[in-house]
Amino acid sequence: MRFAKIFVRFSIPVTMLLVVASAPARAQEPNESYYMTIFSAQADSRDPRRTHSFASFVKANGTGDSAKDYPIEVHTISWMPRSLDIVILRRHPEPGANLDLESSLRWAESRNCRVSMWGPYQISKELYDRAIKQEARLNSGLVLYKALDRRFRPGMASNCIHAVSDLDTDNGLLHSGQGRGEAASRQVARHLNRWIINPGQTHAWVASRLGLNDQSVNRPDLGQQSLLASR
């Protein structure tokens, strides 16, 4: 009887050890990080019909020590008239089209525009989520395109600049004035800077994964001090 008690006493811990040893290793929780790159297209002539502002948003999701090895998901806000021909003084809003990054760069090339970029910056998840909602809204057909959109935004119509800047209307709308091309995109970067985790750091690997290393893209003065000062 005593032997039976000793056996029962020690068999329980041994059984527990066997169960623990045979249990599969717990899967590593995936990590997520988010990035934004703001672009401008502008011809040397400063013709407003040959200017454009757009932005790409990237989600990197995976396991491991380096985000640069994770799979990525890319969303772009690049709001244009459906015809792809910008008419500044068109009286009424017109149907729009939201281009992907590759199509935006092709449009710039077809108009002999130089392309500039700010970033890629790491951003908060909330701004990324707002970009996803804005992309869906533009693709829904509920929003029209209007180059001079002051009387129509943010609900009925928007130009390319405000399609990006209106991701953040918490403290009011960005009024870009006469800004076009590089000047306008720089304004957008400053408007959205509160969502940037570290304005002094850019992430070259994101640009590489977007295929930008194979593109002729200008990287102007990022104005990091201005971004930091306006936080």
Side-chain angles (χ1 to χ4, degrees), residues 175-190:
H175 296 287
S176 54
Q178 298 298 314
R180 295 286 186 275
E182 288 185 8
S185 293
R186 188 177 288 108
Q187 289 183 60
V188 172
R190 290 172 180 164

Side-chain angles (χ1 to χ4, degrees), residues 113-127:
C113 295
R114 71 176 180 274
V115 175
S116 301
M117 61 178 275
W118 290 261
Y121 301 112
Q122 187 174 1
I123 59 171
S124 68
K125 181 179 186 298
E126 183 175 348
L127 183 62

